[in-house]
Amino acid sequence: MSLSGREPHVPVDRLVAEMVPPPRFDSVRFDNYLPDPKQPSQSEAVGTLRAFAEGLGAPDDAGRRRWFRRQAAPAAPAGPGGVYLDGGYGVGKTHLLASLWHATPAPPEQKAFGTFVELTNLVGALGFQQAVQALSGHRLVCIDEFELDDPGDTVLVSTLLGRLAGAGVRLAATSNTLPGRLGEGRFAAADFMREIQGLSARFRSLRIDGEDYRHRGLPEAPAPYADEEVTAAAGRTPGASLDDFGALLAHLARVHPSRYGALCDGVEAVFLRGVRPVEDQATALRLVVLADRLYDREVPVMTSGEPFDRIFGEEMLTGGYRKKYFRAISRLTALARDAGRPAAPDGS
């Protein structure tokens, strides 16, 4: 199959129903999070999040709220009604956020989990008021990869979270800091609290120190293969997609990012020929979203052309969207490792 030959159509109700931890995080729990013994903040975060989940056990009046019923909003929760996980790439923030979702004693339809981009897409699909109604009966809303680089989207989501918090919904969020920048994690926490303005008093910031576990003690990302190797490997891999990188980028421009998940439905492995540096910001940002959806689904990626650490130029890696690009490089590198070396035609 070819990703660039697909035209997915996603009904609105699917966008709501799919606000659960992605397949990669189906089985994560606090018990199988492995704290780095050199980073005590990781163990401390686990304990704090366990207690936060336990505090969400009482359903209070969540079951009595309905989308279209007018009634007085419940009182705001006592103490911090939200937690913010502050730390760099690959320290396990998403693992912990998904563990919190799983540990919260409420049925799945009363919990929501999605990335910042998925939440903005939901608002775009439903409209603001209907999105508030759809989520205000939840016990918990988790937002992964909260993004502060688009003022309009930040205000939109901050306003949405304010309405949800006023309805008694507990909140949890993560965002990334750049690797190798001393102290920037603290600045990221301050940025987050400033951007959510009136909500900041509802959040407790949890610092999670450590290095990117995807690179901890692992070899460098595998070098790209030859075009012929990629084509041959795709031909003998069940559920594989095979695309030329340029054609895929052009196709992504015609598909709304909210449908990139559906674009990957049924794909077991992605094979790309002719990976090259991305030249413009809009294309690069679309590639970031696709990388997130592939990573969520644990889809290995085998490529020819340039290695993933060269697809975003220096100007992009030092610009306003640099956090997204570093995240994409980290995730695509992990998926390239997952692909490994393709088997020979004889199976060896």
Side-chain angles (χ1 to χ4, degrees):
M1 71 184 83
S2 167
L3 294 180
S4 55
R6 291 183 152 196
E7 298 287 346
H9 297 281
V10 184
V12 169
D13 57 354
R14 174 175 168 175
L15 293 177
V16 178
E18 288 188 342
M19 291 199 71
V20 298
R24 176 177 284 270
F25 299 99
D26 278 345
S27 61
V28 301
R29 300 292 188 274
F30 290 131
D31 288 342
N32 55 32
Y33 177 78
L34 302 177
D36 186 339
K38 299 178 181 178
Q39 305 292 346
S41 62
Q42 295 184 7
S43 295
E44 292 168 3
V46 171
T48 300
L49 291 171
R50 281 187 188 275
F52 186 78
E54 291 170 0
L56 297 174
D60 56 68
D61 66 340
R64 299 195 298 272
R65 293 197 294 273
R66 296 294 183 267
W67 283 21
F68 302 107
R69 178 182 299 173
R70 290 183 177 273
Q71 62 184 48
V83 290
Y84 168 67
L85 309 185
D86 171 38
Y89 296 90
V91 296
K93 297 190 305 300
T94 302
H95 183 129
L96 291 173
L97 190 68
S99 297
L100 173 63
W101 188 93
H102 288 297
T104 297
E109 61 269 19
Q110 291 184 8
K111 301 182 287 187
F113 184 106
T115 64
F116 181 91
V117 171
E118 288 172 320
L119 192 59
T120 58
N121 288 338
L122 180 70
V123 175
L126 295 180
F128 182 82
Q129 292 299 333
Q130 195 174 358
V132 171
Q133 292 169 342
L135 298 174
S136 61
H138 285 55
R139 294 294 298 154
L140 174 70
V141 171
C142 298
I143 309 100
D144 199 23
E145 309 290 358
F146 201 102
E147 298 178 359
L148 303 175
D149 46 32
D150 187 310
D153 283 346
T154 301
V155 170
L156 174 68
V157 174
S158 180
T159 304
L160 173 65
L161 296 185
R163 294 284 295 275
L164 296 179
V169 180
R170 295 295 185 103
L171 307 170
T174 76
S175 70
N176 277 328
T177 60
L178 286 174
R181 289 178 179 258
L182 183 63
E184 186 162 346
R186 303 296 180 185
F187 303 149
D191 290 344
F192 177 81
M193 297 304 180
R194 183 188 67 247
E195 294 296 339
I196 63 174
Q197 300 175 16
L199 276 174
S200 60
R202 298 183 185 271
F203 278 84
R204 174 179 179 179
S205 178
L206 302 179
R207 175 67 181 171
I208 304 174
D209 297 295
E211 61 180 309
D212 190 334
Y213 78 91
R214 289 181 289 266
H215 301 272
R216 192 189 304 159
L218 295 175
E220 293 295 322
Y225 299 94
D227 287 350
E228 296 77 11
E229 289 181 288
V230 172
T231 302
R236 58 179 180 265
T237 302
S241 68
L242 176 63
D243 292 88
D244 290 316
F245 189 65
L248 177 59
L249 294 182
H251 185 62
L252 293 179
R254 298 188 291 270
V255 177
H256 191 274
S258 66
R259 294 187 282 161
Y260 287 6
L263 191 71
C264 302
D265 284 351
V267 177
E268 300 296 330
V270 167
F271 294 82
L272 298 175
R273 292 178 299 212
V275 171
R276 54 174 172 74
V278 179
E279 298 178 354
D280 68 282
Q281 199 91 256
T283 301
L285 292 173
R286 287 191 288 267
L287 182 60
V288 168
V289 176
L290 179 63
D292 287 342
R293 301 292 80 79
L294 293 173
Y295 183 78
D296 288 345
R297 290 161 173 76
E298 299 183 287
V299 179
V301 179
M302 179 183 173
T303 66
S304 66
E306 293 289 333
F308 284 129
D309 59 0
R310 298 181 188 174
I311 58 176
F312 303 119
E314 185 65 24
E315 183 175 350
M316 292 182 183
L317 294 180
T318 57
Y321 296 111
R322 61 192 184 279
K323 293 183 181 181
K324 297 182 181 182
Y325 300 138
F326 275 103
R327 182 180 79 230
I329 291 171
S330 177
R331 292 184 165 185
L332 288 171
T333 297
L335 295 179
R337 288 198 183 110
D338 290 346
R341 179 163 294 280
D346 62 1
S348 61

